[in-house]
Amino acid sequence: MINTKIAIAIISSLSFIACTYEYGLPEKKVEEVAVIEDITVPANKVFAHPGLLHSQADFDRMKTKVDNQVDPWISGYNKMISNSHASATYVMKGPVVTLIRGGGSREEPLPDNYSTAMEDAHAAYLTAIRWKITGDVAYANKSIQILNAWAATCTSISGDSNKALGAGIYGYQFANAAEIMRDYSGWNATDLAKFKKWMLDVFYPVNKEFLDTHWNACSTHYWANWDLCNLASMMSIAVLNDDVPKYSYVINYLMKGVGNGQLIKAINHIHTKTANDDIDLGQIQESGRDQGHTLMVIGLLGSIAQMGKTQGLDIYGYNDNMILKGAEYVAKYNAARLSVPFKTYTNCANVTHTTAADDAGRSQIRPVWERIFNHYTKGKGITARYIKTAKDVGYPEGGSGDLNPNSGGYDDLGFGTLLYSVE
């Protein structure tokens, strides 16, 4: 595993002034500078499989706990199997030839049809997990039926700028399902190869073009979730295809990327502990926008960090556990309904936020907390009081539309009580 460290360079021994970060650069006239050690990927890296959101050890743990009816795993499992997307009789909503998000527009006159992908990707993922836990090939066959059908039919992604969201969200979700199924003897090697190529030919080009160009807008014009979902997709496709250069691109972007997917831009300000709160809190780039999208960012950060962890990279620990600080900030404001500090934020398009958005989305439940909670509290022994509040409100964690029937209910693959609980 590659560890990250925080090194402190003292420029002046006469004054010690706290350093505040915005976009990874220190403010002027700062005498103390935090130098963050980047995470790197060896050129000869060999990928572990399954190696995205879950390892084989994770599946072994789930199976043992479910077989023995142990909580919280059995409660999480029962929550998952009550969802129609986890059924061996699930009826596909697609596939479609052209996946459209951002339809009814100048760029794409035809209407949106992305709900077909969001539902089918979740079904392929949940039935894959159910096969891993039960060994029942009916679930395995349902998963590969969905994956094969999409790879054989869908040839492009279209829409206005929102097609980047379609490529990012459904790209990482389809790839995660396939990564679980890759060792199923019933998945024909030719079909698996076709699926891998489909991900490279249809999803990856949109992911890469968006991250490289941001559709010719200024670099921080698009919100953090746009970058992060495309990074999650590229990361997933890279592991699925054992592609080290593509994987390295993602990790490098998280460290130094120009858009809001760079970690120090996604979590753009650390409010250090005060008399009113004895922990650091990380303000999310979308905190002043609306809480639904802020929660989406927490889910994507957790997914990316978890996929890195499975491959031995400590993204969770980067910059002194900044993902923990961001999650605590969002959980404190949304789940605990307590006030949080806010540093005025302005992006490159002169959109300015001066306060955390207090809208109807506050206190909504999204399945984004269990993976972060378990990593830090069980894995690292760090207290995460506000994250615990948030995850307890949604216990056992659900997903796949059972919390929200709209697209937001499918942004995260969910069901973390089963999938991420550890002793």
Side-chain angles (χ1 to χ4, degrees):
M1 178 177 293
I2 297 173
N3 295 318
T4 58
K5 302 176 182 177
I6 302 297
I8 304 297
I10 307 300
I11 294 177
S12 170
S13 61
L14 300 176
S15 179
F16 297 90
I17 300 175
C19 176
T20 299
Y21 275 80
E22 193 75 27
Y23 309 122
L25 297 174
E27 292 179 346
K28 294 179 180 178
K29 299 181 182 179
V30 172
E31 277 74 35
E32 185 177 288
V33 179
V35 180
I36 304 167
E37 182 176 311
D38 289 336
I39 300 169
T40 57
V41 180
N44 62 347
K45 178 173 177 56
V46 177
F47 291 101
H49 297 294
L52 289 176
L53 286 172
H54 319 293
S55 67
Q56 186 55 48
D58 294 332
F59 287 119
D60 292 342
R61 179 188 66 247
M62 294 175 220
K63 178 174 176 54
T64 297
K65 298 300 185 181
V66 170
D67 285 349
N68 289 286
Q69 302 283 297
V70 179
D71 262 330
W73 296 271
I74 189 62
S75 293
Y77 179 73
N78 288 334
K79 180 74 171 180
M80 186 189 78
I81 65 174
S82 69
N83 190 288
S84 63
H85 297 83
S87 172
T89 60
Y90 171 82
V91 178
M92 285 189 289
K93 306 304 185 290
V96 295
V97 174
T98 301
L99 173 59
I100 301 172
R101 182 156 181 165
S105 60
R106 175 176 56 82
E107 296 86 351
E108 177 51 75
L110 293 176
D112 284 337
N113 60 16
Y114 64 87
S115 64
T116 58
M118 77 184 190
E119 293 205 49
D120 286 356
H122 275 246
Y125 174 74
L126 295 187
T127 51
I129 290 169
R130 201 164 177 184
W131 164 64
K132 277 287 192 179
I133 293 173
T134 67
D136 188 338
V137 298
Y139 300 109
N141 291 335
K142 174 56 66 174
S143 183
I144 62 170
Q145 177 196 24
I146 297 168
L147 299 176
N148 285 344
W150 274 89
T153 305
C154 181
T155 59
S156 63
I157 301 173
S158 184
D160 58 14
S161 62
N162 286 277
K163 72 179 183 180
L165 295 176
I169 297 168
Y170 314 125
Y172 97 84
Q173 293 178 352
F174 272 125
N176 263 273
E179 179 68 11
I180 297 170
M181 295 306 306
R182 66 184 300 143
D183 64 348
Y184 175 49
S185 61
W187 198 359
N188 181 283
T190 300
D191 288 337
L192 173 58
K194 287 179 179 177
F195 186 89
K196 291 179 180 181
K197 188 174 186 299
W198 177 62
M199 297 298 296
L200 288 169
D201 290 349
V202 175
F203 289 88
Y204 168 75
V206 182
N207 302 149
K208 183 67 160 52
E209 183 181 6
F210 174 75
L211 291 167
D212 284 348
T213 70
H214 293 100
W215 305 145
N216 298 317
C218 59
S219 60
T220 60
H221 170 79
Y222 286 95
W223 304 103
N225 77 84
W226 289 65
D227 267 19
L228 291 171
C229 71
N230 281 279
L231 290 166
S233 179
M234 286 184 64
M235 188 181 204
S236 303
I237 292 168
V239 172
L240 184 66
N241 283 278
D242 293 286
D243 192 319
V244 175
K246 288 181 176 59
Y247 194 82
S248 296
Y249 174 97
V250 172
I251 301 304
N252 289 338
Y253 196 103
L254 290 169
M255 304 301 105
K256 301 176 181 179
V258 299
N260 285 318
Q262 183 194 139
L263 292 175
I264 298 178
K265 294 179 182 179
I267 306 169
N268 67 1
H269 184 77
I270 302 298
H271 298 274
T272 55
K273 62 186 70 173
T274 66
N276 295 323
D277 213 324
D278 62 352
I279 60 171
D280 293 349
L281 298 171
Q283 182 176 315
I284 302 299
Q285 187 260 345
E286 302 203 39
S287 290
R289 183 186 179 195
D290 66 76
Q291 298 312 303
H293 285 97
T294 303
L295 288 164
M296 182 181 179
V297 170
I298 295 300
L300 288 165
L301 287 170
S303 292
I304 288 169
Q306 190 73 25
M307 292 190 292
K309 178 181 178 179
T310 309
Q311 294 297 335
L313 301 184
D314 191 15
I315 298 170
Y316 275 120
Y318 180 69
N319 193 17
D320 193 25
N321 300 318
M322 69 183 304
I323 291 177
L324 169 70
K325 296 171 186 179
E328 284 281 74
Y329 182 97
V330 175
K332 180 179 181 180
Y333 187 69
N334 282 276
R337 295 193 66 84
L338 297 171
S339 62
V340 291
F342 194 91
K343 179 179 173 60
T344 297
Y345 169 78
T346 302
N347 73 358
C348 65
N350 290 319
V351 174
T352 297
H353 297 150
T354 59
T355 184
D358 189 3
D359 59 14
R362 196 175 181 189
S363 295
Q364 69 176 275
I365 301 172
R366 290 219 182 180
V368 301
W369 300 111
E370 286 276 16
R371 70 172 74 90
I372 294 175
F373 175 81
N374 277 279
H375 173 79
Y376 288 113
T377 66
K378 303 297 180 66
K380 299 297 181 182
I382 301 171
T383 300
R385 68 171 72 93
Y386 299 120
I387 296 171
K388 183 179 187 303
T389 297
K391 76 101 178 174
D392 286 350
V393 168
Y395 177 89
E397 202 166 78
S400 300
D402 64 12
L403 295 167
N404 179 345
N406 301 315
S407 62
Y410 294 84
D411 287 341
D412 198 284
L413 287 165
F415 298 100
T417 304
L418 167 66
L419 301 174
Y420 305 108
S421 291
V422 294
E423 292 179 304

